[in-house]
Amino acid sequence: MRFVDIIHKKRYKEELTDEEIQFFIDGVVDGSIPDYQISSLLMAIVLNGMNERETSYLAKAMMHSGDVLDLSSIEGIKADKHSTGGVGDKTSMALGPMVAACGLKVAKMSGRGLGHTGGTLDKLESIEGLNCFLTEKQFKKQVQEIGISIIGQTGDLVPADKKLYALRDVTGTVESIPLIASSIMSKKLACGSDTILLDVKYGEGAFMHTIEDATKLAEAMISIGNSLGRNTMAMITDMNQPLGNTIGNALEIREAIDTLKGYGPKDFTELCMQAAEIMLIQGKVAKDKEEARAMLEEAISSGKAFEKFKQMVKAQGGNVAMIDDPSLLPQSKYKTEIKSRQSGNVKLLHSEKLGVLAMQLGAGRATKDEDVNHAVGLELNCKRGNKVNVGDIICYVYHDEDLKQEWIDELYNAFEFTDEDVENRPLIEKILS
Ligand code: URA
């Protein structure tokens, strides 16, 4: 087989066979196909797409390019959830303990953040001592014993994706539904859980800008998951404003704790509740949404969900005192109030601008090797649809260095006001299976 013939086929919109896709992935991993040829095929895929069969096979070949976790020694159904990345997205920290407190096993591997969306690991590492790098044995033992563990990737999972993603990043080939779907799903599949819930974001600051594109991506990922025997469902959710009120590592942990105790922000709480309902049904812990909701409400009001988070933190070596008293979490030197210069109803909160600002304050990283500052970030004091008067506090900035004027200007630019009523858009647009 000659790789140039495979490039030609895709260039002329022909369908690739399983053998050709396997040859591609094998060559990526063993280094026998040079980067320029890989990039050429990637661009042909971006331009001419892949059908359902090709995309599923690509995900499968990528999944088997490295280690695949076997969670079968853990009793019961193991659940996983994945978000395509959003500003202020601290869902795993609240949702995981909520469903684990209802008896579902959560075995979750997460990543670090890059760019304007923070990573779950960075947020968890705000908690002093918490170890996100357990061995596979420790990870499985923890899921078996307390029902939940959230860690970074162990072993050599999906080396093909590491190579392909690095090339896509520098060759303008990230935005492609078959490439994104196979990249995300190969990693989810290699993590070994039985059920997968995908939170596919649309809007500003998300990979997919429209509901239609987010739906296409979700359908591609569901088809991959189901074709490989994993119960896969997806929610299409709005990223046209940050999720919850906080953006920044320790600030988001504090908000996740509030939510586990039943007093989190309304939008974030509702997203967690609806996602948790789906996960409990997928995991056969609840028979329908009503039963799931009742279990979740009990887990929160009884304190079991909060206790589950504490158990997880303790098992991973974290300082539990910080969970009991979030004022012990890393604190920034300064907290500055930002007051509105306008009156009106909040029409738009530009997620991407706010995410980039939080990153500039130090909460995220612009390049892979930077450290994050766990203490800094933003706390919104209004959300879309709220009425604001001149002088009202719209946001708090948590920072360690002096605020630059350009950041303050950009912060004001992130808020848009109108005198008209603001349409109440649903956070969860639809649920797909
Ligand atoms: N996240 C991934 O893991 N892969 C992509 O291609 C895009 C987002």
Side-chain angles (χ1 to χ4, degrees), residues 96-390:
M98 277 162 67
V99 293
C102 296
L104 186 62
K105 298 257 168 58
V106 180
K108 177 152 179 56
M109 289 198 184
S110 287
R112 294 200 182 284
L114 184 61
H116 67 274
T117 59
T120 297
L121 296 191
D122 299 311
K123 295 171 195 182
L124 280 173
E125 284 174 353
S126 309
I127 304 164
E128 188 183 51
L130 191 135
N131 180 11
C132 286
F133 290 91
L134 305 185
T135 62
E136 188 180 325
K137 196 167 158 204
Q138 289 169 323
F139 176 62
K140 289 183 190 170
K141 184 165 180 282
Q142 185 175 319
V143 177
Q144 174 65 42
E145 286 176 0
I146 68 167
I148 178 168
S149 183
I150 305 178
I151 61 165
Q153 280 190 10
T154 63
D156 188 19
L157 295 188
V158 199
D161 184 64
K162 294 190 184 98
K163 174 82 196 250
L164 287 176
Y165 200 86
L167 274 178
R168 287 169 59 206
D169 214 15
V170 293
T171 56
T173 51
V174 169
E175 286 83 8
S176 148
I177 287 178
L179 294 180
I180 298 176
S182 54
S183 162
I184 293 176
M185 288 305 288
S186 59
K187 288 175 285 195
K188 289 288 107 187
L189 294 164
C191 288
S193 62
D194 305 297
T195 70
I196 302 168
L197 173 63
L198 302 160
D199 179 359
V200 182
K201 309 277 187 200
Y202 77 89
E204 197 194 305
F207 267 109
M208 297 291 141
H209 295 295
T210 63
I211 295 173
E212 292 68 35
D213 283 346
T215 303
K216 282 188 201 146
L217 176 62
E219 284 170 351
M221 293 197 284
I222 290 172
S223 155
I224 295 171
N226 289 342
S227 75
L228 291 165
R230 314 291 171 90
N231 177 325
T232 309
M233 292 182 67
M235 308 187 296
I236 307 295
T237 65
D238 182 9
M239 198 64 260
N240 282 307
Q241 66 174 342
L243 188 55
N245 298 335
T246 57
I247 309 166
N249 302 294
L251 295 169
E252 292 189 43
I253 292 287
R254 200 187 70 199
E255 193 160 81
I257 293 171
D258 287 347
T259 307
L260 285 166
K261 288 181 163 174
Y263 48 84
K266 200 162 146 268
D267 63 339
F268 178 59
T269 302
E270 192 48 29
L271 181 89
C272 289
M273 291 297 268
Q274 292 210 31
E277 285 169 14
I278 300 171
M279 287 177 78
L280 291 179
I281 296 169
Q282 281 182 301
K284 302 196 183 344
V285 173
K287 64 177 183 313
D288 55 30
K289 283 190 166 215
E290 289 65 39
E291 188 181 24
R293 173 90 31 166
M295 291 172 91
L296 290 160
E297 280 169 356
E298 200 276 329
I300 290 172
S301 62
S302 65
K304 282 188 210 144
F306 174 64
E307 281 306 315
K308 192 53 77 180
F309 185 54
K310 275 173 58 177
Q311 274 180 19
M312 181 185 93
V313 169
K314 183 156 181 254
Q316 292 183 213
N319 181 355
V320 178
M322 288 182 158
I323 311 304
D324 280 323
D325 178 3
S327 73
L328 299 175
L329 285 164
Q331 301 289 327
S332 63
K333 277 197 215 142
Y334 312 109
K335 177 179 175 183
T336 300
E337 295 173 350
I338 303 293
K339 294 189 175 158
S340 186
R341 295 167 175 165
Q342 292 180 51
S343 292
N345 298 319
V346 181
K347 179 176 155 205
L348 271 176
L349 275 168
H350 291 285
S351 313
E352 193 164 356
K353 279 195 199 329
L354 294 164
V356 169
L357 256 166
M359 182 184 84
Q360 288 169 327
L361 292 169
R365 46 173 84 73
T367 62
K368 251 194 356 288
D369 305 317
E370 281 175 16
D371 284 334
V372 299
N373 179 337
H374 291 116
V376 299
L378 303 169
E379 182 177 0
L380 303 170
N381 204 34
C382 59
K383 297 290 294 266
R384 192 170 58 213
N386 289 166
K387 166 114 189 65
V388 168
N389 293 312
V390 174

